[in-house]
């Protein structure tokens, strides 16, 4: 069975700093996607970034980037120039493509951006 | 944004009563999911559907049943609610695109007294 582990339950950083959230996963498959979702206090789930396992290049979306290490099964999220609006719960998620329809989430990391 | 709505958004009920949560999507997505979110547990999959009348269990399916008679609707039923089912429930859907992205509803907060 696939698992997703987020080892940092909670983090705090100062505004404008860079922060990295960790995620590891376990699978024996090769064709999958990884995601980071953000859940602000409004409770809405927002897709932050997506990475296809077959792509070696790390995904980037503005201030958000990932460090995808397939061999190590690691998928960390880096937030540069952090802003107060980045305060949220962040979830790492995993889905196998073309075989299993389940999307598995980690337990989340609560990120506080301090003014 | 994908059109996916949940109802009711808030509900308070008593132990032993049946409860049904409804998820409605207007995107013609094939896959639909029910998750529950609890502090310290993240999002845990209850049941999911990969087509009309095609459903399967997730990791925390005990005490829950689902039905999908139409593409757009996915119902989650608690046959006899217990206090341990107090939670925030999220519905999500995704289409057949290769991105795999999930689109979420706003969540339904259920309190079982």
């Amino acid at each position: 069975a696939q698992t997703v582990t987020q080892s940092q339950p909670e983090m705090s950083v100062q505004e404008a700093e860079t922060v990295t959230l960790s995620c590891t996963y376990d699978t024996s498959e090769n064709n999958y996607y990884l995601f980071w979702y953000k859940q602000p206090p409004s409770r809405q789930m927002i897709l932050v970034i997506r990475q296809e396992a077959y792509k070696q290049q790390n995904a980037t979306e503005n201030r958000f980037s990932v460090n995808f290490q397939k061999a190590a099964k690691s998928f960390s999220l880096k937030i540069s120039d952090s802003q107060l609006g980045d305060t949220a719960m962040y979830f790492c998620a995993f889905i196998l493509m073309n075989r299993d329809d389940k999307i598995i989430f980690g337990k989340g990391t609560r990120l506080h951006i301090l003014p | 944004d994908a059109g996916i709505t949940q109802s009711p958004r808030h509900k308070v009920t008593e132990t032993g009563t049946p409860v049904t949560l409804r998820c409605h999507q207007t995107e013609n997505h094939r896959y639909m999911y029910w998750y529950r979110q609890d502090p310290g547990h993240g999002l845990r999959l209850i049941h999911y559907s990969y087509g009309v009348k095609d459903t399967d269990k997730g990791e925390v399916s005990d005490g829950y049943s689902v039905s999908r008679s139409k593409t757009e609707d996915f119902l989650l039923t608690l046959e006899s609610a217990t206090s341990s089912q107090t939670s925030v429930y999220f519905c999500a859907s995704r289409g057949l695109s290769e991105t795999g992205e999930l689109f979420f509803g706003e969540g339904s907060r259920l309190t079982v007294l």
Side-chain angles (χ1 to χ4, degrees):
Chain A
Q2 282 65 235
T3 60
V4 176
T5 302
Q6 294 180 248
S7 59
Q8 305 149 311
E10 197 159 0
M11 300 179 71
S12 296
V13 295
Q14 294 295 136
E15 191 176 9
E17 289 185 349
T18 295
V19 60
T20 299
L21 282 60
S22 301
C23 173
T24 58
Y25 58 95
D26 188 25
T27 183
S28 58
E29 304 289 335
N30 279 310
N31 190 15
Y32 53 88
Y33 283 94
L34 294 159
F35 306 88
W36 278 99
Y37 279 87
K38 169 185 178 181
Q39 187 183 42
S42 67
R43 208 169 67 189
Q44 182 183 2
M45 292 289 288
I46 303 165
L47 178 66
V48 175
I49 200 164
R50 167 181 51 240
Q51 174 78 44
E52 295 90 335
Y54 62 86
K55 289 187 177 179
Q56 292 186 337
Q57 185 173 4
N58 290 323
T60 299
E61 289 288 341
N62 300 313
R63 297 183 295 108
F64 299 87
S65 62
V66 298
N67 183 5
F68 174 47
Q69 301 289 328
K70 190 172 183 179
K73 297 178 183 176
S74 172
F75 182 61
S76 60
L77 174 69
K78 185 172 81 171
I79 305 174
S80 302
D81 186 26
S82 57
Q83 301 174 359
L84 296 179
D86 295 332
T87 292
M89 180 74 85
Y90 287 82
F91 293 100
C92 179
F94 168 98
I95 181 173
L96 285 174
M97 297 305 292
N98 302 323
R99 206 198 81 172
D100 192 311
D101 306 316
K102 298 178 183 179
I103 298 180
I104 305 301
F105 285 81
K107 293 184 178 181
T109 296
R110 186 172 298 280
L111 177 65
H112 301 276
I113 307 299
L114 306 173
Chain B
D1 290 341
I4 180 166
T5 56
Q6 296 180 224
S7 60
R9 297 287 310 280
H10 301 273
K11 186 173 182 65
V12 179
T13 192
E14 293 186 349
T15 298
T17 60
V19 176
T20 295
L21 304 180
R22 179 180 184 242
C23 179
H24 179 76
Q25 54 105 350
T26 59
E27 302 298 318
N28 200 34
H29 284 169
R30 175 177 176 177
Y31 302 100
M32 297 186 75
Y33 305 79
W34 277 108
Y35 291 89
R36 60 177 289 175
Q37 183 178 11
D38 304 288
H41 292 278
L43 287 163
R44 292 182 291 176
L45 182 64
I46 305 171
H47 282 280
Y48 67 103
S49 169
Y50 45 94
V52 174
K53 297 185 179 179
D54 290 324
T55 65
D56 204 350
K57 296 179 180 180
E59 58 184 310
V60 291
S61 59
D62 287 348
Y64 302 94
S65 63
V66 290
S67 66
R68 191 163 178 208
S69 58
K70 298 185 290 184
T71 298
E72 58 266 34
D73 289 328
F74 192 33
L75 303 180
L76 176 70
T77 297
L78 291 65
E79 302 290 347
S80 178
T82 67
S83 58
S84 65
Q85 293 176 312
T86 292
S87 186
V88 177
Y89 291 86
F90 282 95
C91 175
S93 70
R94 71 178 179 96
L96 288 173
S97 72
E98 293 185 355
T99 66
E101 179 181 352
L102 270 182
F103 296 90
F104 283 85
E106 317 95 318
S108 296
R109 181 177 294 278
L110 175 66
T111 301
V112 183
L113 301 175

